[in-house]
Amino acid sequence: MTATGEEHARALTGPWWWARRRSAVLDGSLALVSAVECGAEGIPFARDAGIPVSVGIVFGLIAGSVLLVRRKWPIAVVLVAIAITPAQMGFLMGIVGLYTLAAAELPRRIIVALAGMSLLGTMIVTFVRVRQDMARGDLTLGDWFVPFASITTSLGLTAPPVLLGLYVGARRRLMESLRERADSLERELQLLAERAEERAEWARNEERTRIAREMHDVVAHRVSLMVVHAAALQAVARKDPEKAVRNAALVGDMGRQALTELREMLGVLRAGDGAQRRAASVPLAAVGVAAAEAAAEEAVGDGPCLEELEELVGQSAAAGMVVDLSVEGEVRVYAAEVEQTAYRVVQEALTNVHKHAAGAKTYVRLAHRGAEIAMQVENEPPEPGSASAARLPSGGNGLVGMRERVVALGGVFVSGPTDAGGFRVSAVIPAA
């Protein structure tokens, strides 16, 4: 609710049918003045009617006090004012009653009918009184003055309060409409803000998942190869010093590559933090879109490609894995995210072979097709006792990460054991 709506709600503290206390005080004051006026006008009315003066005063007081209920029953007030018009009472009540009637939420036909009755009654009473005064000699004007006086008096007592009431009622309805529209707009803005928060949170979760997946791919593969080479280095250090030196050099190279890739990822994260600080002043509704766009842009940044696949296979071969790489179809360039995903699938599959099937012969197949690229990594059953030789831990996130990458690009991912006791990982990614 807007501030205007809250103030309006707090203002509803008046007694009975009044919205505010000051409205009750105003109506009470008007009713008191109207009762005094009608009571004073009841004295000549009682004399003309031949009734006791006290009865005329009481009648005037009761009739004038009806103005107290003008907000709840404006029609009754106008009818009473019309009824006592022949007694030349209730001029204030008639004016205020017509104003309240025109400003109320009533059908226009009722307002027009009652205003017409009041106009006609005032015109008739004025016409009769002016003719009586002229007959007694109190007025010496011509006959034209009688209809002129009756018409002008009736219009003067009827038209201004009705027009003013119509204007005030229209203005009041406009303000209520604007208040409701402001309340509705604020509710819509709150809903948009909540949706923007949800989108921003979704984008942050997606970005955290992507970063975790990249970290897993980089660290798990490089460190797994380093552990394999370290185990081989320990085994051949005394028997074959030259091979131990080569393994030590490979461990150093892989460590430097892992550090380089980690530094690149940390650099992207620092750049993203700076962008978030710069975006602190951006409206909340744009946070979700900006975060999603930033995640998409960073996801397709610099990264591995299919040209580095032979080097990846060579590193596994250097670690002692018997691996065979075959490429089918015409080699071509794909979108960056497609090549990165294909590379990461092969990389993670080879890492799993190092972890769970050390020494098993592995086949890596890559097929370039017309509208898609397919890859498959399949290993034979591991040698007995070799799976735990390097003691490589497993977090169980590799297959999940591969599936997420492939499905995000609209591809298909399948993994599972083979009939021969090995394991197969297959993925098909659309080329576009």
Side-chain angles (χ1 to χ4, degrees):
M1 183 180 291
T2 60
T4 304
E6 292 177 356
E7 293 174 0
H8 180 72
R10 289 197 300 267
L12 301 177
T13 57
W16 295 343
W17 58 81
W18 287 284
R20 296 180 293 272
R21 293 185 182 275
R22 64 180 182 180
S23 300
V25 173
L26 175 62
D27 289 354
S29 302
L30 289 175
L32 179 62
V33 174
S34 177
V36 172
E37 177 204 350
C38 291
E41 292 170 345
I43 297 175
F45 167 71
R47 291 173 181 172
D48 294 340
I51 60 176
V53 175
S54 59
V55 175
I57 295 175
V58 172
F59 175 75
L61 291 175
I62 295 175
S65 62
V66 175
L67 195 59
L68 186 66
V69 297
R70 70 182 185 94
R71 297 179 189 267
K72 189 170 182 62
W73 296 297
I75 297 177
V77 174
V78 175
L79 290 176
V80 172
I82 295 174
I84 64 176
T85 299
Q88 291 187 320
M89 292 183 184
F91 293 102
L92 177 62
M93 183 169 60
I95 294 174
V96 177
L98 287 174
Y99 163 79
T100 307
L101 178 71
E105 296 287 342
L106 293 173
R108 289 296 177 87
R109 63 178 183 274
I110 296 178
I111 298 175
V112 172
L114 292 177
M117 292 172 59
S118 178
L119 175 67
L120 183 61
T122 305
M123 184 183 301
I124 295 173
V125 171
T126 305
F127 183 86
V128 173
R129 291 295 181 180
V130 172
R131 282 187 64 88
Q132 290 177 352
D133 292 341
M134 292 185 67
R136 288 195 302 265
D138 295 339
L139 294 175
T140 58
L141 299 175
D143 293 338
W144 61 269
F145 183 73
V146 177
F148 174 77
S150 60
I151 293 174
T152 54
T153 301
S154 59
L155 287 176
L157 294 177
T158 305
V162 171
L163 295 177
L164 180 61
L166 291 175
Y167 167 75
V168 172
R171 184 175 180 274
R172 184 183 302 156
R173 287 188 291 271
L174 176 62
M175 294 301 295
E176 291 177 356
S177 175
L178 292 176
R179 186 183 298 113
E180 292 176 358
R181 190 174 300 176
D183 294 342
S184 176
L185 179 60
E186 183 169 352
R187 288 192 294 269
E188 291 179 2
L189 290 177
Q190 291 177 352
L191 181 61
L192 289 175
E194 293 175 359
R195 290 181 178 177
E197 286 284 0
E198 293 176 358
R199 293 184 64 182
E201 183 63 26
W202 172 83
R204 286 191 291 267
N205 292 335
E206 288 293 319
E207 185 64 7
R208 283 193 291 266
T209 302
R210 188 187 69 83
I211 293 172
R213 192 163 52 235
E214 290 288 339
M215 295 284 288
H216 175 271
D217 291 342
V218 171
V219 174
H221 181 74
R222 302 293 183 189
V223 174
S224 297
L225 291 180
M226 291 171 64
V227 172
V228 172
H229 282 289
L233 178 63
Q234 184 179 6
V236 301
R238 295 181 180 179
K239 299 178 181 179
D240 192 349
E242 293 182 359
K243 187 174 182 180
V245 171
R246 289 195 301 270
N247 287 341
L250 287 174
V251 170
D253 291 340
M254 293 177 185
R256 283 187 290 271
Q257 291 176 2
L259 288 175
T260 300
E261 294 185 11
L262 288 175
R263 288 193 187 101
E264 291 177 355
M265 294 184 63
L266 292 176
V268 171
L269 292 177
R270 292 192 184 97
D273 292 340
Q276 290 177 358
R277 287 193 294 269
R278 289 192 300 272
S281 60
V282 176
L284 184 60
V287 172
V289 177
E293 291 178 353
E297 291 176 359
E298 291 178 9
V300 298
D302 295 336
C305 59
L306 293 178
E307 294 181 356
E308 304 174 12
L309 197 59
E310 292 186 4
E311 180 181 356
L312 177 67
V313 173
Q315 292 175 354
S316 296
M321 177 187 294
V322 180
V323 56
D324 177 60
L325 173 64
S326 63
V327 180
E328 301 176 1
E330 182 180 356
V331 179
R332 61 182 188 274
V333 179
Y334 300 92
E337 60 269 22
V338 174
E339 295 205 7
Q340 290 179 23
T341 301
Y343 180 91
R344 294 301 188 190
V345 168
V346 177
Q347 181 187 54
E348 181 60 28
L350 293 177
T351 301
N352 288 339
V353 175
H354 284 293
K355 290 180 179 180
H356 308 292
K361 186 174 183 179
T362 306
Y363 303 92
V364 179
R365 298 182 179 88
L366 185 68
H368 299 274
R369 300 171 183 172
E372 61 189 15
I373 178 174
M375 64 227 65
Q376 178 178 292
V377 179
E378 180 180 350
N379 61 273
E380 296 178 351
E383 298 179 0
S386 61
S388 60
R391 298 179 182 178
L392 292 173
S394 176
N397 297 317
L399 295 176
V400 176
M402 285 190 283
R403 182 182 300 277
E404 290 176 351
R405 286 180 179 274
V406 173
V407 173
L409 296 179
V412 178
F413 178 85
V414 179
S415 63
T418 62
D419 295 337
F423 198 84
R424 180 188 298 117
V425 172
S426 302
V428 178
I429 305 174

